[in-house]
Structures are given as structure tokens and as C-alpha cells.
Amino acid sequence: MEEPQEPLFTSQVIAVLIAGFAICSFLFYEMMKFADAGNLILVILTSISISIVAVVILKYIKYQQLKKI
């Protein structure tokens, strides 16, 4: 007999995804402003921070999935 599958995205994971999307959107907007101003250093730092936010979200989701096992 098959056990019912748990949903992939719980409310906590969805909340983290929404917060991460908001943070990345804000950082991307700021990166475009820095690019218009011609500030290469801040564009690079902002793109690195977007990557860090994405990695943190990925690790959180992976942790939540491993916790279920």
C-alpha cells in the first residue's frame, strides 16, 4: 500500500521563496540603477549578493527536504 506523498512546498518553504524573490527583485533593481550610474564595483557586488541569496534559499529548501527523510 502506498503512503500519501507530502507536498514538496510547505508554507515555510513558500514564505522563504517569496521573501527571496522580493530580496532578489530589490537587489536586481538596485543593480540596474548602479549600472545606469556607471558604477562597476557596485554592480559586481550586487550580482554577488543576488547569487548568495539564491544559494541560501537553495540550501534551505534542500535542508527541509532532507529533514523529511
Side-chain angles (χ1 to χ4, degrees):
M1 185 172 199
E2 293 183 23
E3 295 180 17
Q5 290 183 338
E6 294 183 22
L8 180 63
F9 295 112
T10 61
S11 59
Q12 287 180 336
V13 173
I14 292 173
V16 169
L17 286 174
I18 291 171
F21 179 74
I23 293 169
C24 285
S25 297
F26 172 74
L27 289 173
F28 190 79
Y29 173 75
E30 291 296 318
M31 184 175 70
M32 291 298 122
K33 283 185 10 184
F34 294 143
D36 284 341
N39 196 339
L40 180 63
I41 301 294
L42 286 178
V43 169
I44 292 170
L45 289 176
T46 309
S47 63
I48 290 171
S49 63
I50 292 170
S51 301
I52 290 171
V53 169
V55 167
V56 167
I57 291 170
L58 179 66
K59 288 192 179 283
Y60 176 79
I61 292 173
K62 182 179 177 182
Y63 171 75
Q64 289 296 331
Q65 295 302 316
L66 288 176
K67 194 168 73 169
K68 288 181 184 179
I69 296 177

